[in-house]
Amino acid sequence: AEVITNVCATAGMPLEIPAEVENFCCGMPFGSKGYRRASVEAVSMLVTAMVEWTDGGRLPVMVDTSPCAYTLKTCGPDLPANLQRSYRQLRILDGIEFAAEFVVPHLSARNPAAEVVLHPVCSATKMDLVEAMVSIVEPFAEEVVIPDSAGYCGFAGDRGFLVPELTGSATRDEAHEVEAGDFDGCYSSSRTCEIGMTRATSRPYRSFWYLLEETT
């Protein structure tokens, strides 16, 4: 959060993090395990809060973890009828979209990286944001690489904590490509996926926001 705030300040983009945001969840951890009622209740509480935070949708909402952004963008049909109209007024942006539209155009690289590697997470791929992710990184690196075998990392929310062998198996080919390269940094848009890729490659994966901060 501090890194994103710093980058937005450099870009002259006001950013507010609601004080009570830590009390809310998009509901995906429940839904992915089959607890639909808990999932709907959690995301309904969050959407209700977002309506208040955004002054009824006047301000866009940036969600800096792609799986959570995807969940919020696609939760509409599951919400109670009384929230449907308010939900449609919200503009929910993944961090990649937010950076591309509001931040990167106002930044200039002072110390660009040489070569970086990206891991597009599944949810970013579903939202068709892979090209956008490359476009926001390109001004801050001389070369941007997505491994040919990049794909599902196997972390699956929290499965990677419980069954790390899943991540090891799912990322084997991609990890070999990354280990064979000489990269200045490895970046993605989901903290848990970054943990999985760090384990697989023994190289630190971080949010792309760190690259924006360090090069500007």
Side-chain angles (χ1 to χ4, degrees):
E2 183 178 349
V3 169
I4 295 173
T5 302
N6 290 343
V7 174
C8 287
T10 301
M13 171 52 57
L15 184 70
E16 179 180 352
I17 301 175
E20 67 274 26
V21 70
E22 64 184 21
N23 298 323
F24 295 91
C25 173
C26 72
M28 183 179 63
F30 303 108
S32 64
K33 295 178 177 64
Y35 301 123
R36 184 178 180 278
R37 182 176 174 183
S39 175
V40 172
E41 182 173 342
V43 75
S44 297
M45 292 171 62
L46 177 54
V47 167
T48 300
M50 283 182 168
V51 172
E52 180 180 345
W53 296 338
T54 64
D55 190 20
R58 182 177 62 84
L59 301 172
V61 178
M62 186 271 284
V63 183
D64 75 325
T65 300
S66 291
C68 302
Y70 177 76
T71 299
L72 284 164
K73 282 172 172 283
T74 58
C75 72
D78 297 324
L79 293 173
N82 65 321
L83 277 181
Q84 293 287 340
R85 182 177 179 182
S86 296
Y87 170 76
R88 289 193 294 269
Q89 293 175 331
L90 295 174
R91 187 183 183 201
I92 298 169
L93 300 175
D94 179 83
I96 296 169
E97 296 173 294
F98 181 80
E101 181 174 351
F102 293 106
V103 180
V104 169
H106 305 289
L107 295 176
S108 58
R110 297 183 178 181
N111 184 31
E115 186 176 19
V116 301
V117 64
L118 301 181
H119 173 75
V121 301
C122 298
S123 46
T125 302
K126 291 177 183 177
M127 292 184 286
D128 197 24
L129 292 178
V130 177
E131 290 186 9
M133 187 177 188
V134 173
S135 72
I136 62 175
V137 170
E138 281 182 329
F140 309 100
E142 295 175 6
E143 186 172 358
V144 180
V145 174
I146 296 179
D148 291 336
S149 56
Y152 181 51
C153 74
F155 212 93
D158 64 1
R159 294 297 190 277
F161 291 123
L162 306 173
V163 190
E165 293 84 0
L166 285 175
T167 299
S169 175
T171 59
R172 185 173 293 115
D173 292 342
E174 182 178 357
H176 287 163
E177 287 190 62
V178 173
E179 290 168 345
D182 183 19
F183 301 108
D184 280 355
C186 307
Y187 302 98
S188 191
S189 62
S190 168
R191 187 67 195 109
T192 50
C193 301
E194 291 156 17
I195 292 171
M197 290 304 301
T198 297
R199 287 179 178 175
T201 63
S202 297
R203 299 188 182 186
Y205 272 75
R206 300 179 296 166
S207 169
F208 66 86
W209 289 99
Y210 283 84
L211 175 66
L212 303 188
E213 181 188 48
E214 291 167 358
T215 56
T216 61

